[in-house]
């Protein structure tokens, strides 16, 4: 490794590479979450990952819409995956739980969100965001993104980036809540595209669909000629997420 005078000399040369083994133990923890979660979820396909705000409560139109979409997806044969917490995540699990397909909660252990919601047929508690986020991608045949804050925007950006760069297979990315998403999409078209930050085809990765039946139909239309089964190329991409 090249040396530089910009890095101060340490009393213990090995201190640059270890913190009493904590990094190694964390790595083992992430690997364990990958292995156990993959085993737990492997039979739950096809599935749709739904994202949205944790701050929205029952009675909010976005909550009601998420519940309705999830119920339609569940009755159509899709397992519905959410973050397992409150708000839109609860609505997604609630709708799927009432349907004929499983409601899946990928819970994250956070100080402000200690407990998962009560509508999970299958639940898994993650300590690490890294392994949790991969499970959203690995098992999803589509993404439905409801209105939300930084976490929702993070999930949307990650999905778009993985598909754009070819690190994930191309799947439907559906935004529900046209009025909510219009400002962001206008900014993408009016700023990102003219300045060359994205290509015109990148905007086609997303569709805005508000009607719950139309969401289900959009997913089936996408897979009409290709089927839900992953190809060998799809599986190869998932290995390098």
């Amino acid at each position: 490794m090249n040396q530089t005078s910009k890095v101060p000399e340490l009393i213990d040369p090995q201190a640059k590479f270890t913190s009493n083994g904590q990094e190694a133990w964390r790595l083992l923890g992430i690997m364990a979450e990958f292995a156990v979660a993959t085993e737990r979820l492997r039979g739950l396909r096809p599935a749709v990952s739904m994202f949205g705000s944790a701050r929205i409560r029952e009675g909010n139109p976005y909550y009601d819409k998420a519940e309705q979409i999830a119920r339609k997806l569940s009755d159509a044969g899709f397992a519905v995956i959410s973050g397992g917490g409150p708000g839109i995540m609860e609505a997604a699990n609630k709708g799927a739980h009432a349907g004929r397909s499983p409601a899946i909660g990928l819970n994250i252990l956070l100080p402000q969100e200690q407990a998962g919601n009560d509508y999970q047929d299958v639940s898994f508690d993650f300590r690490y965001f890294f392994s949790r986020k991969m499970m959203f991608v690995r098992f999803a045949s589509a993404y439905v993104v409801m209105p939300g804050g930084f976490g929702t925007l993070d999930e949307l950006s990650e999905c778009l980036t993985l598909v754009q760069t070819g690190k994930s297979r191309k799947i439907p990315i559906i935004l529900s809540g046209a009025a909510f998403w219009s400002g962001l999409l206008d900014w993408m078209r009016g700023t990102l595209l003219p300045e060359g930050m994205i290509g015109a085809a990148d905007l086609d990765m997303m569709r805005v669909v508000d009607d719950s039946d139309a969401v289900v139909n959009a997913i089936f239309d996408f897979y009409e000629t290709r089927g839900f089964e992953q190809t060998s190329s799809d599986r190869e991409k998932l290995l390098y997420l």
Side-chain angles (χ1 to χ4, degrees):
M1 184 175 71
N2 293 333
Q3 299 296 318
T4 173
S5 60
K6 294 180 181 179
V7 178
E9 195 69 30
L10 300 172
I11 297 176
D12 176 9
Q14 293 302 311
K16 290 186 287 185
F17 309 110
T18 181
S19 298
N20 297 323
Q22 291 180 9
E23 288 87 351
W25 282 111
R26 288 195 184 99
L27 181 58
L28 289 174
I30 292 172
M31 291 171 61
E33 285 193 342
F34 272 130
V36 177
T38 298
E39 180 68 21
R40 188 82 184 276
L41 301 175
R42 64 178 180 169
L44 299 171
R45 290 178 178 166
V48 175
S49 289
M50 290 187 64
F51 307 113
S53 174
R55 303 187 180 195
I56 288 172
R57 295 295 178 260
E58 189 171 5
N60 183 290
Y62 295 144
Y63 183 107
D64 296 340
K65 177 64 71 175
E67 182 180 352
Q68 186 180 62
I69 291 172
R71 175 62 187 269
K72 295 284 180 68
L73 289 169
S74 180
D75 284 339
F78 294 99
V80 175
I81 304 173
S82 91
I88 295 294
M89 295 176 283
E90 178 184 281
N93 284 149
K94 185 177 180 181
H97 185 69
R100 69 182 188 90
S101 302
I104 304 167
L106 305 184
N107 308 290
I108 186 73
L109 301 176
L110 295 175
Q112 68 270 31
E113 294 176 26
Q114 291 289 340
N117 64 64
D118 295 327
Y119 304 100
Q120 302 176 43
D121 297 302
V122 178
S123 63
F124 192 89
D125 293 332
F126 289 87
R127 184 176 297 275
Y128 300 100
F129 269 110
F130 180 74
S131 46
R132 176 179 180 250
K133 290 173 77 172
M134 182 176 176
M135 294 303 134
F136 281 122
V137 175
R138 182 167 187 175
F139 293 98
S141 296
Y143 307 118
V144 175
V145 190
M146 304 295 298
F150 290 149
T152 302
L153 294 175
D154 174 57
E155 299 290 0
L156 172 60
S157 296
E158 182 167 42
C159 295
L160 291 169
T161 301
L162 289 171
V163 174
Q164 180 198 52
T165 57
K167 288 295 183 181
S168 174
R169 60 182 178 143
K170 185 178 180 182
I171 66 176
I173 301 174
I174 297 172
L175 309 182
S176 188
F180 180 88
W181 294 111
S182 62
L184 177 63
L185 295 174
D186 287 345
W187 175 72
M188 289 180 178
R189 295 188 194 97
T191 301
L192 293 185
L193 185 59
E195 295 196 15
M197 305 299 179
I198 60 173
D202 293 334
L203 292 171
D204 294 333
M205 294 188 293
M206 297 173 286
R207 287 187 61 184
V208 179
V209 183
D210 277 345
D211 180 76
S212 54
D213 287 318
V215 170
V216 177
N217 290 336
I219 297 172
F220 276 116
D221 288 346
F222 181 89
Y223 287 103
E224 184 176 9
T225 59
R226 67 191 81 193
F228 291 105
E229 189 66 29
Q230 293 177 357
T231 65
S232 57
S233 174
D234 292 336
R235 289 190 289 271
E236 176 107 8
K237 288 179 180 179
L238 290 172
L239 290 175
Y240 295 97
L241 273 178

